[in-house]
């Protein structure tokens, strides 16, 4: 361990307190350094000075002597230098417990970050319990994510076997965290599938605009016109579905035709999102019919929600396809990378 400037500045002054470790080792320290760094150590030093003994001693128990030396070293330095991050990583769990017990906030955050960065499946259960005892939410979340991601490796750890035999509450808590993580993944998958469905419906609305343009130059366009050559456009498949709709004899039969029902829903959805006030300018079939029907009959809440989502997806698709400055694109890429790491 490197000697920081704090040790060099205090070396000339005499030490007035001795720190005793669990194995009986002791080290000299300055009471005003320890007391100014930790309110708990301040109370312990005051209590030791009021005793009968001539020597002021403070016992730091429960961890190894090396961890105590590192703890006192960082109290003198008041920070973690870049070259000392390996020391924090080597004694991360013990430093986290000491910083929590003696209320050294900055060291607790540094130790929590070091333990989270070096977390492995074989230590996930032990560190989860430590995070719960030391009120370390960042480490707790990291342990839960690791357990949900690689539970097969976590099951082989000694911490999991101990929890199953002797700590039913911890086992139940970990299983509940995994269940919550699985539910979140399922919810994200459903939301992603719903967004994809709305995007496809928005593309279908755009394809209807391609097939039935409303400008005067393309007034003769119809479902029999050749599809546009736009990359990724679904005009061809939509035209085939419309030809089937025009010639299908089952759409009026009992039960109807499933493909024709989808086409009718697409026409109705177009009429709901169509923003043309003059109905004669819109050449999409049944647009005016569904518009007048929507004015006469109030749509249900589910349909209105679908219309809003498709309108939003259509707008977002148009924004995504436009050319953005390079600085904005780089900013979006950095944001998406941070979101992916958090998940």
């Amino acid at each position: 361990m490197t000697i920081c400037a704090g040790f060099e500045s205090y070396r000339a002054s005499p030490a007035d307190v001795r720190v005793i470790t669990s194995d009986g080792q002791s080290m000299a320290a300055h009471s005003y350094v320890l007391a100014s760094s930790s309110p708990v150590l301040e109370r312990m030093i005051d209590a030791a000075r009021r005793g009968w003994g001539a020597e002021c001693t403070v016992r730091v128990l429960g961890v190894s002597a090396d961890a105590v030396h590192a703890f006192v070293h960082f109290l003198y330095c008041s920070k973690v230098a870049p070259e000392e991050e390996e020391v924090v990583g080597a004694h991360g769990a013990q430093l986290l417990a000491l910083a929590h017990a003696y209320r050294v906030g900055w060291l607790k955050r540094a130790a929590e970050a070091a333990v989270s960065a070096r977390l492995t499946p074989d230590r996930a259960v032990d560190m989860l319990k430590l995070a719960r005892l030391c009120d370390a939410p960042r480490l707790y979340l990291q342990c839960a994510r690791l357990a949900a991601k690689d539970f097969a490796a976590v099951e082989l750890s000694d911490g999991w076997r101990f929890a199953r035999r002797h700590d039913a509450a911890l086992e139940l808590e970990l299983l509940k965290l995994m269940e919550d993580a699985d539910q979140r993944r399922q919810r994200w998958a459903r939301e992603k599938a719903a967004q994809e469905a709305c995007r496809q419906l928005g593309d279908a609305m755009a394809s209807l605009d391609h097939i039935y343009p409303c400008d005067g130059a393309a007034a003769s366009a119809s479902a029999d016109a050749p599809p546009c050559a736009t990359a990724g456009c679904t005009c061809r498949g939509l035209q085939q579905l419309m030809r089937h709709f025009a010639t299908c004899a089952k759409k009026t039969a009992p039960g109807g035709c499933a493909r024709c029902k989808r086409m009718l829903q697409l026409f109705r959805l177009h009429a709901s999102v169509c923003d043309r006030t003059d109905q004669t300018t819109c050449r999409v079939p049944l647009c005016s019919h569904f518009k007048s029907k929507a004015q006469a009959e109030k749509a249900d809440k589910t349909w209105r929600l679908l219309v809003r989502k498709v309108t939003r997806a259509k707008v977002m698709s148009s924004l995504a396809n436009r050319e953005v400055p390079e600085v904005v694109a780089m900013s979006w890429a950095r944001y998406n990378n941070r979101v992916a790491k958090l998940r």
Side-chain angles (χ1 to χ4, degrees):
M1 182 184 303
T2 58
I3 302 297
C4 67
F7 276 122
E8 293 291 346
S9 60
Y10 290 114
R11 179 173 289 179
S13 59
D16 56 348
V17 63
R18 299 203 64 83
V19 179
I20 309 299
T21 63
S22 298
D23 57 358
Q25 297 185 29
S26 65
M27 61 180 300
H30 299 82
S31 60
Y32 44 89
V33 176
L34 303 184
S36 62
S37 302
S38 167
V40 178
L41 288 175
E42 181 181 10
R43 290 193 295 269
M44 294 175 64
I45 292 172
D46 290 341
R49 283 176 174 170
R50 289 195 299 266
W52 293 97
E55 186 180 25
C56 180
T57 59
V58 173
R59 297 184 179 275
V60 180
L61 309 177
V63 297
S64 64
D66 292 338
V68 176
H69 281 268
F71 178 65
V72 175
H73 169 80
F74 288 122
L75 292 184
Y76 272 84
C77 295
S78 299
K79 65 178 181 179
V80 178
E83 62 272 10
E84 295 173 333
E85 292 181 357
E86 291 298 327
V87 178
V88 181
H91 306 286
Q94 300 179 75
L95 286 176
L96 176 60
L98 289 174
H100 174 73
Y102 294 99
R103 297 173 58 185
V104 186
W106 66 268
L107 183 56
K108 178 180 177 180
R109 290 188 294 270
E112 182 181 4
V115 175
S116 300
R118 295 166 174 80
L119 191 63
T120 56
D122 59 323
R123 302 180 61 200
V125 179
D126 296 332
M127 294 301 102
L128 179 70
K129 188 169 184 178
L130 177 65
R132 185 177 59 179
L133 295 174
C134 295
D135 190 21
R138 178 178 178 180
L139 178 59
Y140 186 92
L141 182 61
Q142 189 70 16
C143 293
R145 287 175 176 171
L146 182 59
K149 182 180 179 180
D150 194 4
F151 184 67
V154 173
E155 280 186 315
L156 301 177
S157 64
D158 295 335
W160 173 255
R161 286 194 289 266
F162 180 86
R164 294 196 64 180
R165 295 173 184 172
H166 307 288
D167 197 341
L170 180 61
E171 179 188 9
L172 181 62
E173 181 180 2
L174 187 57
L175 292 176
K176 184 66 169 58
L177 289 173
M178 293 182 56
E179 182 183 2
D180 293 342
D182 187 59
Q183 291 178 355
R184 283 195 301 272
R185 283 195 297 267
Q186 293 178 3
R187 184 171 65 252
W188 290 339
R190 289 195 300 267
E191 292 177 356
K192 187 175 181 180
Q195 292 176 359
E196 178 64 19
C198 292
R199 186 195 63 79
Q200 292 177 0
L201 288 173
D203 292 343
M205 299 297 102
S207 298
L208 284 177
D209 294 336
H210 292 170
I211 296 173
Y212 295 97
C214 296
D215 54 331
S220 60
S222 66
D224 296 328
C228 66
T230 305
C233 186
T234 58
C235 291
R236 186 181 299 275
L238 187 58
Q239 282 185 328
Q240 293 177 355
L241 186 60
M242 293 176 67
R243 292 192 187 99
H244 169 81
F245 177 78
T247 59
C248 181
K250 294 183 179 180
K251 61 175 176 286
T252 57
C257 174
R259 298 175 65 186
C260 294
K261 287 181 180 179
R262 289 197 297 269
M263 200 67 224
L264 283 173
Q265 290 179 348
L266 188 61
F267 286 150
R268 181 189 174 191
L269 185 60
H270 166 79
S272 300
V273 301
C274 182
D275 55 356
R276 300 182 182 92
T277 56
D278 188 1
Q279 297 180 0
T280 60
T281 61
C282 185
R283 301 181 180 275
V284 177
L286 301 178
C287 181
S288 58
H289 168 72
F290 281 116
K291 279 186 177 180
S292 59
K293 188 175 180 181
Q295 293 175 357
E297 301 176 1
K298 186 177 181 181
D300 58 356
K301 186 183 297 184
T302 304
W303 181 261
R304 293 198 302 269
L305 180 61
L306 176 62
V307 171
R308 286 198 298 269
K309 287 184 176 181
V310 172
T311 305
R312 189 183 303 115
K314 188 177 179 182
V315 173
M316 295 303 295
S317 178
S318 63
L319 291 176
N321 293 331
R322 72 175 182 175
E323 193 171 336
V324 298
E326 184 179 358
V327 176
V328 178
M330 293 174 61
S331 177
W332 286 352
R334 288 195 298 268
Y335 173 77
N336 291 331
N337 289 335
R338 286 199 300 267
V339 171
K341 290 180 180 179
L342 289 175
R343 291 187 177 181

